[in-house]
Amino acid sequence: MKNIVVVGSQWGDEGKGKIVDWLSSEADVVVRFQGGHNAGHTLVIDGVTYKLRLLPSGIVRKNKISIIGNGVVVDPWALLDEIKEIKSKGVRVDENNLILSESADLILPFHKEMDEIREDAAGKDKIGTTRRGIGPAYEDKIGRRSIRVMDLVSESNLEHRLETALIHHNAIRKGLGKKILEKNQIKKDLLKIAPEILKFSQPVWKKIDEYKSKGKKILFEGAQGILLDVDHGTYPFVTSSNTVASSAATGTGCGPSSINYVLGITKSYTTRVGTGPFPTELTDKIGEQLGTRGKEFGTVTSRKRRCGWFDGVLVRQAIKISGIDGIALTKLDVLDELDEIKMCVSYELNKKKIDYLPVAGDDQLKVKPVYKVFKGWKSSTQGIKEFDKLPENAKIYVKEIEKFVEAKISSISTSPEREDTILIENPFKI
């Protein structure tokens, strides 16, 4: 048995969709364990594009079980819309192949409003959230005033839970001069969709234990990237959940021993959406070229991504923090036309070299990257499926990444197409 966790080793957008889709073809069960509908995966299968936000990538494949774990915050209306959208493309989605944790916390309309209110009020200090209510929903979870999936079963319980939540939210809204919320309409709207949500609801921890006992292959699918982790990322410019591999256990209700292999998806250069420190960012023509060739726009928000050179220091740090066993290197073909390619191998801070990103926000903004320069290969790698067939300079660059970040490269992606992958080792067969 081999259970795999897939995480992004940078700030997200590393190309997890393609890799997860490939792995899900071999997995029996695919599980989302954190985040919400603020991050997405784009899959292209037989010429059909699927843009998934809450649904695990396994949903588009026959005879797979897809699970949304307790660590995910769920906008129930967004979930139902996504199910409707995916069904319109001929994909079967029902209670036999989709399981939603009964303990998952719900994102409600006032969470989204609070997200927008705070971002607008923050001015130049805004975090750069997707304004989908993710942060406020997680705040309510930690504050023990959240409405969870199973609260939809009982009208009286739902009313009580809403009263508790609105005491908190209305106090803030009143202070900000915003309209006070009434619980009755919110309750009515939730009860209307409750049957459609509850039919997917099950105790996920119990189901995963059942699948483990049957020797099923389980793929735990992370959203976003390790550098957006609320504890280990570039705080406060982070998401509101733990994106590291260990949260796969917490976010689903299985022990750490359930995880046999951690795969880090790693882009051949670096991108970031929103504000926050980015030591290797390029604001010149090369940065524009990377963005254009790499089609660097968000799956969910369509926001333009900031682009820069590969930051080996950050990736190595992410690998250590998340216990990554191997990396899947993506978008190598985006670098094909460059005369030279740079990789950050250390930082300079206050005239001293350091080999990690410091925690202090001011220091993160002040660090200067120290680069190692490589000759470009100036030829196409698109569609190459064997390592030996890569241009010599591309092989040098890839091997140097592997050596520096101290993790084996298990695959190399040479185009968005699933088949255009150099497979070095299959995590399910190690």
Side-chain angles (χ1 to χ4, degrees):
M1 181 182 68
K2 180 70 71 170
N3 300 327
I4 298 172
V5 178
V6 174
V7 290
S9 69
Q10 294 154 306
W11 278 293
D13 311 309
E14 299 95 349
K16 290 188 290 295
K18 170 183 169 176
I19 306 300
V20 168
D21 172 51
W22 167 65
L23 289 170
S24 68
S25 68
E26 296 202 26
D28 301 302
V29 183
V30 185
V31 189
R32 268 286 305 271
F33 59 85
Q34 51 74 223
H37 65 309
N38 55 334
H41 293 334
T42 300
L43 311 180
V44 181
I45 302 173
D46 297 329
V48 181
T49 299
Y50 303 95
K51 293 192 175 184
L52 304 177
R53 295 166 286 279
L54 277 168
L55 293 172
S57 298
I59 200 70
V60 299
R61 298 199 167 274
K62 293 179 180 179
N63 304 317
K64 309 291 180 184
I65 302 296
S66 292
I67 297 178
I68 300 173
N70 56 275
V72 180
V73 285
V74 178
D75 181 324
W77 294 278
L79 176 59
L80 293 176
D81 285 345
E82 189 172 337
I83 290 171
K84 183 179 178 181
E85 179 187 335
I86 212 80
K87 278 184 169 182
S88 72
K89 297 187 176 185
V91 176
R92 179 176 70 89
V93 183
D94 57 36
E95 52 269 42
N96 295 310
N97 69 340
L98 177 63
I99 297 171
L100 170 63
S101 172
E102 59 187 8
S103 303
D105 299 87
L106 298 180
I107 301 173
L108 301 179
F110 54 78
H111 292 129
K112 182 180 178 182
E113 288 181 36
M114 185 56 66
D115 212 351
E116 293 172 342
I117 289 167
R118 289 200 300 222
E119 277 289 276
D120 290 339
K124 64 181 179 63
D125 294 322
K126 65 179 61 178
I127 300 296
T129 77
T130 56
R131 298 171 177 253
R132 280 167 166 72
I134 311 297
Y138 273 117
E139 287 178 40
D140 277 2
K141 175 180 180 176
I142 300 303
R144 292 165 291 188
R145 54 181 172 266
S146 185
I147 287 86
R148 303 198 293 178
V149 170
M150 284 307 289
D151 290 325
L152 301 178
V153 171
S154 164
E155 181 175 349
S156 60
N157 182 59
L158 177 60
E159 183 160 343
H160 172 69
R161 299 301 305 151
L162 279 171
E163 284 174 355
T164 301
L166 291 180
I167 286 172
H168 171 82
H169 281 273
N170 278 334
I172 297 174
R173 294 175 71 94
K174 186 176 180 180
L176 294 171
K178 301 297 180 180
K179 181 183 176 183
I180 299 300
L181 298 169
E182 298 291 338
K183 74 173 184 299
N184 289 338
Q185 187 59 51
I186 301 171
K187 184 181 77 171
K188 182 179 177 181
D189 292 342
L190 282 170
L191 290 173
K192 184 177 179 181
I193 63 168
E196 286 298 303
I197 294 296
L198 289 170
K199 72 180 184 182
F200 299 110
S201 174
Q202 292 192 52
V204 161
W205 66 269
K206 194 171 186 297
K207 295 302 294 183
I208 289 181
D209 185 64
E210 176 187 316
Y211 295 134
K212 282 168 55 185
S213 68
K214 292 179 179 178
K216 301 291 187 182
K217 294 178 182 177
I218 304 174
L219 177 63
F220 296 91
E221 175 185 1
Q224 300 148 301
I226 293 167
L227 299 177
L228 292 174
D229 185 278
V230 70
D231 287 306
H232 301 290
T234 48
Y235 191 90
F237 302 99
V238 292
T239 193
S240 300
S241 63
N242 287 110
T243 60
V244 291
S246 55
S247 61
T250 310
T252 59
C254 65
S257 61
S258 301
I259 300 168
N260 306 119
Y261 188 95
V262 180
L263 179 66
I265 315 301
T266 306
K267 196 179 288 187
S268 301
Y269 50 101
T270 309
T271 62
R272 175 164 203 172
V273 173
T275 51
F278 186 169
T280 64
E281 182 174 13
L282 296 169
T283 56
D284 56 10
K285 288 183 179 179
I286 294 176
E288 285 291 324
Q289 184 177 345
L290 291 174
T292 301
R293 281 184 57 82
K295 296 183 171 65
E296 297 297 351
F297 297 91
T299 297
V300 173
T301 63
S302 297
R303 289 189 296 178
K304 186 177 180 180
R305 297 172 188 146
R306 299 154 65 191
C307 297
W309 295 120
F310 183 83
D311 193 328
V313 177
L314 276 180
V315 171
R316 184 175 60 189
Q317 187 168 323
I319 284 169
K320 305 297 184 187
I321 288 169
S322 210
I324 290 172
D325 297 297
I327 64 173
L329 192 67
T330 64
K331 293 197 171 185
L332 184 67
D333 56 302
V334 174
L335 306 178
D336 285 349
E337 296 180 357
L338 297 175
D339 293 318
E340 64 176 25
I341 297 161
K342 296 180 182 180
M343 181 174 80
C344 176
V345 294
S346 66
Y347 298 131
E348 187 177 281
L349 177 64
N350 300 326
K351 298 183 178 180
K352 293 182 179 179
K353 275 192 177 182
I354 57 173
D355 61 358
Y356 67 97
L357 186 71
V359 171
D362 287 348
D363 287 344
Q364 289 180 354
L365 292 170
K366 286 193 294 185
V367 295
K368 302 296 182 186
V370 177
Y371 290 115
K372 183 171 184 176
V373 182
F374 300 84
K375 288 183 179 180
W377 43 91
K378 300 290 287 181
S379 60
S380 177
T381 61
Q382 189 166 7
I384 291 177
K385 298 179 178 65
E386 296 177 34
F387 184 80
D388 288 342
K389 292 184 178 179
L390 287 174
E392 195 60 35
N393 286 346
K395 287 191 276 188
I396 291 170
Y397 179 65
V398 169
K399 283 295 183 183
E400 187 62 29
I401 287 176
E402 183 176 61
K403 179 182 175 183
F404 186 83
V405 303
E406 300 174 17
K408 186 171 183 178
I409 292 177
S410 65
S411 65
I412 303 167
S413 176
T414 55
S415 96
E417 297 300 322
R418 182 171 172 265
E419 295 75 18
D420 293 340
T421 302
I422 299 169
L423 180 60
I424 298 167
E425 65 178 19
N426 184 338
F428 274 126
K429 296 180 179 178
I430 296 172

